[in-house]
Amino acid sequence: MNPAPYVGRFAPSPTGPLHFGSLVAAVASFLDARAAGGRWLLRMEDLDRPRCEPGAADTILRQLEAYGLHWDGAVIQQSQRDDAYAAALDALKARGAVYPCACTRSQLAQAPRNREGEILYPGTCRNGLPPGTIARAWRVRVPDVSARFHDRIQGDLEQNLARDVGDFIVKRADGLFAYQLAVVVDDAFQGITHVVRGADLLWNTPRQIYLQGLLGLPTPVYAHVPLITNAAGQKLSKQTLAPALPEAGRGAVLALALAVLGHPPPPELNDAGPAELLAWAGAHWRIGNVPLRPVIANTAP
Ligand code: GLU
């Protein structure tokens, strides 16, 4: 039997324009798909409406095109997919895999945190809502077992959901579906076989694999590319004021992105534009050459 054809994706959150860190993740997933002769889909993760910035989705599409990252098919938008997420939540309810939670943020302020700084839910509502409280959010009940998964870049990893994450939210108190649920529903809906994304999401992967199991959805193959940090060692993000990708000198920016992905273009491509650089990189792409560790890009544009 032939393996499933490769379908990859890039799933930016339109909270602002793409910066150098997001370009690196986009380029890695694009090249991995193209080198495998696969499709590369785009999904706008505009789920968290309050965090989205008006116009950012259009800006991201323009930036991807300008950098030669042409996607296949129609762009899907998470803001249009509440019905699919609601159906998945219903399926989880029918399995008894989720429970309503009445805890407020301030009640959980003292709860222990995991190594990512996320609240480790103490289980207050796990066996029923305390009398006199009302349901605010929905949480998934997680098992106290260590589960392993393989990452094509980071290697074999192990996480115990109960110990390291705790019962996590799939529908938030503000009525929005949580990223963990939406990403799993959408990766399956789009037929994604390979996820290549930033290592900031590595720690989320076991949650997603667990939800896929509960919902009877296939698990894609995962690869997490190193995070790009600024000179202060912080992840490039809107919060750390990472600048938007520059409009000029795109070839040089892309060459730098390829270099941090372990694929420095040869000197004869010094003056090449995005199309030529991506063609070269697609022909030379080896995921094993992508470094494990975060790369400091204090020279980043
Ligand atoms: N929307 C997420 C982000 O921009 C990426 C989600 C994913 O790739 O699974 O960080």
Side-chain angles (χ1 to χ4, degrees), residues 9 11-13 43 45 179 183 195 197 200-201 208 235:
R9 49 68 158 186
S13 304
R43 177 166 79 233
E45 297 212 324
Y179 158 69
V183 75
V195 171
R197 60 186 177 189
D200 51 332
L201 295 164
Q208 295 171 16
K235 177 193 163 190

Side-chain angles (χ1 to χ4, degrees), residues 226-250:
L227 276 191
I228 309 302
T229 53
N230 61 20
Q234 300 161 315
K235 177 193 163 190
L236 296 190
S237 70
K238 191 173 166 181
Q239 287 73 29
T240 60
L241 306 176
L245 285 174
E247 304 261 338
R250 291 191 286 257

